[in-house]
Amino acid sequence: MFKIFDKANKNRLLYALLMVIVVILVATMIGNVSAATYTITTSNSTSSIDAFLSNEDYENPSPLANGDTVVFNAGKYNLDLNVNKAIKLKANGKVTVNNIFTSKNTIVTGFIVKEGFYADRSNNISKNTIGYLQLSGSKSRIINNIIKGGLSVYSSNNVVKKNYISSESSIDGRKNIVTSNTFKKNVYIYDNNNKIVGNKVATNYKIFTSGKKNILKNNKQSYRDLALSNVGKISKGHVLSVKNIGTKSTKVCYIKIDNYDRTVYKIKVPALKKGKSTKVLIPKRVINKLKYRYYETRYYGGFIHLDYKNKNKDADLSNNHLDLVSNKKGYEVYVNMM
């Protein structure tokens, strides 16, 4: 009969108890190991800072390890930060650097980057002022930054949120979330399944999309609700079609025709319910005004575009800009994506 306290079972129980104690001790030791924090000041040389962050000196390896924090005290640092560890990089006060390069799993907060910030994947970049930001990897978070020279994203599954972006930007990847940003110039979306929600775009600029299944809603931008298309010539002039492609009801607006230098005519477009369209006529006498002299030959030339500034909350999936150019038959109207 099996006896719970025989010698063999006593040995087994002692071994099991010893193993439990070892596991507890190891877990306690791991819990007591904390990440290190290092402080950088302007008294540190450029070469020493670079060697410390990049960890490329194999003879004298840097003590910097994944999970550590590096704090830069206030000052102007005439150097590039090259980071290849999964660390936290923080600015204590006003800290200016030239460029920042990160690989993966880096957290960067509070820096003034005069030129460019070049990030790979799984980075968290927040509350920085950046000349230009390029994101080439996936699963990063770009939040609450001021980006003066524009944003370029070449990857998928990133979050771009609450940034102020002054120059043209592009998103070339899938399943990115771009929300609550302020764009002062055009934004170009080149791939599929992106979610573009709640952004504000400056007057006379817009969000352009060329992919499929992109979700665009609640973006405040001009040129957003009406699709302007070419119908063709008739005896009285030229006919255009204007269609409401997204808003429950648009506001009254105008189509402007100019000869490259000044507006020569404005066509009033009535309010349109969603899905409805109307045709407008550019009179022949206006077409005849769009002429300019080139090597003693008269040619037609001008732009036709919407002058539509409102606060409706819909996406523009169409074009709003046509060109009127000369040819041997007189003129031609065609699409131009600006």
Side-chain angles (χ1 to χ4, degrees):
M1 182 179 291
F2 176 77
K3 293 181 180 180
I4 194 168
F5 290 111
D6 65 10
K7 186 176 180 179
N9 283 293
K10 287 181 181 178
N11 290 337
R12 292 192 186 97
L13 286 171
L14 288 172
Y15 178 76
L17 181 61
L18 180 62
M19 290 302 297
V20 170
I21 293 171
V22 169
V23 169
I24 292 172
L25 287 173
V26 170
T28 302
M29 291 173 65
I30 292 174
N32 289 332
V33 175
S34 60
T37 298
Y38 300 92
T39 299
I40 303 293
T41 70
T42 52
S43 63
N44 297 114
S45 67
T46 298
S47 59
S48 66
I49 297 172
D50 184 65
F52 178 72
L53 289 176
S54 63
N55 200 25
E56 294 179 350
D57 187 344
Y58 299 106
E59 294 183 359
N60 300 290
S62 169
L64 189 64
N66 291 336
D68 287 348
T69 298
V70 179
V71 178
F72 275 73
N73 281 345
K76 294 183 178 180
Y77 296 80
N78 187 24
L79 79 167
D80 299 336
L81 306 186
N82 296 279
V83 183
N84 57 18
K85 290 283 186 180
I87 64 170
K88 294 179 181 179
L89 204 60
K90 295 182 177 181
N92 179 24
K94 188 175 180 180
V95 177
T96 303
V97 298
N98 295 336
N99 295 279
I100 295 180
F101 301 85
T102 64
S103 55
K104 61 180 181 179
N105 298 315
T106 305
I107 299 173
V108 183
T109 307
F111 285 82
I112 300 171
V113 186
K114 292 193 299 183
E115 298 174 22
F117 195 130
Y118 302 88
D120 199 343
R121 59 187 177 88
S122 301
N123 292 279
N124 192 326
I125 301 167
S126 64
K127 299 180 181 179
N128 303 281
T129 299
I130 302 168
Y132 166 73
L133 176 57
Q134 178 178 300
L135 182 60
S136 56
S138 61
K139 298 182 179 180
S140 287
R141 294 174 63 83
I142 313 298
I143 299 176
N144 262 324
N145 300 280
I146 297 173
I147 305 172
K148 297 181 178 180
L151 167 70
S152 297
V153 177
Y154 298 103
S155 54
S156 302
N157 295 292
N158 297 290
V159 175
V160 179
K161 183 178 181 180
K162 293 184 179 180
N163 301 283
Y164 184 94
I165 305 173
S166 300
S167 298
E168 285 195 343
S169 299
S170 62
I171 311 293
D172 192 356
R174 300 186 178 193
K175 298 182 179 180
N176 293 293
I177 298 174
V178 181
T179 182
S180 304
N181 301 282
T182 297
F183 292 99
K184 303 304 289 184
K185 295 290 180 67
N186 293 325
V187 186
Y188 298 87
I189 312 298
Y190 291 115
D191 214 324
N192 308 326
N193 299 107
N194 294 286
K195 188 175 182 180
I196 317 298
V197 178
N199 301 284
K200 183 179 180 181
V201 185
T203 300
N204 296 327
Y205 295 95
K206 61 182 281 189
I207 299 172
F208 292 87
T209 60
S210 59
K212 299 178 180 179
K213 297 183 179 180
N214 290 301
I215 298 173
L216 293 97
K217 64 181 182 180
N218 296 336
N219 297 292
K220 294 182 178 181
Q221 55 179 340
S222 57
Y223 298 145
R224 70 174 60 75
D225 304 307
L226 297 180
L228 179 62
S229 59
N230 178 39
V231 175
K233 302 175 185 178
I234 62 171
S235 59
K236 294 181 179 181
H238 200 96
V239 178
L240 304 174
S241 176
V242 185
K243 183 177 181 180
N244 177 3
I245 60 169
T247 303
K248 290 181 179 179
S249 182
T250 68
K251 296 181 179 180
V252 174
C253 67
Y254 292 87
I255 293 175
K256 292 171 62 177
I257 297 99
D258 66 58
N259 65 348
Y260 303 124
D261 295 321
R262 61 185 177 85
T263 299
V264 298
Y265 193 68
K266 294 180 75 172
I267 307 169
K268 188 174 182 179
V269 179
L272 295 170
K273 292 184 179 180
K274 184 174 181 179
K276 298 297 182 179
S277 62
T278 187
K279 290 182 180 179
V280 296
L281 172 69
I282 305 176
K284 184 176 289 186
R285 60 182 174 81
V286 176
I287 295 290
N288 290 335
K289 289 182 180 180
L290 300 178
K291 296 179 179 180
Y292 65 93
R293 186 174 294 279
Y294 181 72
Y295 291 116
E296 304 302 322
T297 304
R298 286 191 179 277
Y299 290 93
Y300 296 100
F303 294 134
I304 304 168
H305 54 92
L306 291 174
D307 182 17
Y308 194 51
K309 302 173 183 178
N310 63 50
K311 295 183 180 180
N312 290 319
K313 298 179 179 180
D314 283 274
D316 186 356
L317 305 177
S318 68
N319 198 299
N320 59 61
H321 184 94
L322 304 176
D323 271 5
L324 190 152
V325 297
S326 66
N327 57 27
K328 293 181 179 180
K329 296 180 179 180
Y331 69 92
E332 179 183 0
V333 175
Y334 69 96
V335 173
N336 184 339
M337 285 301 291
M338 299 177 68

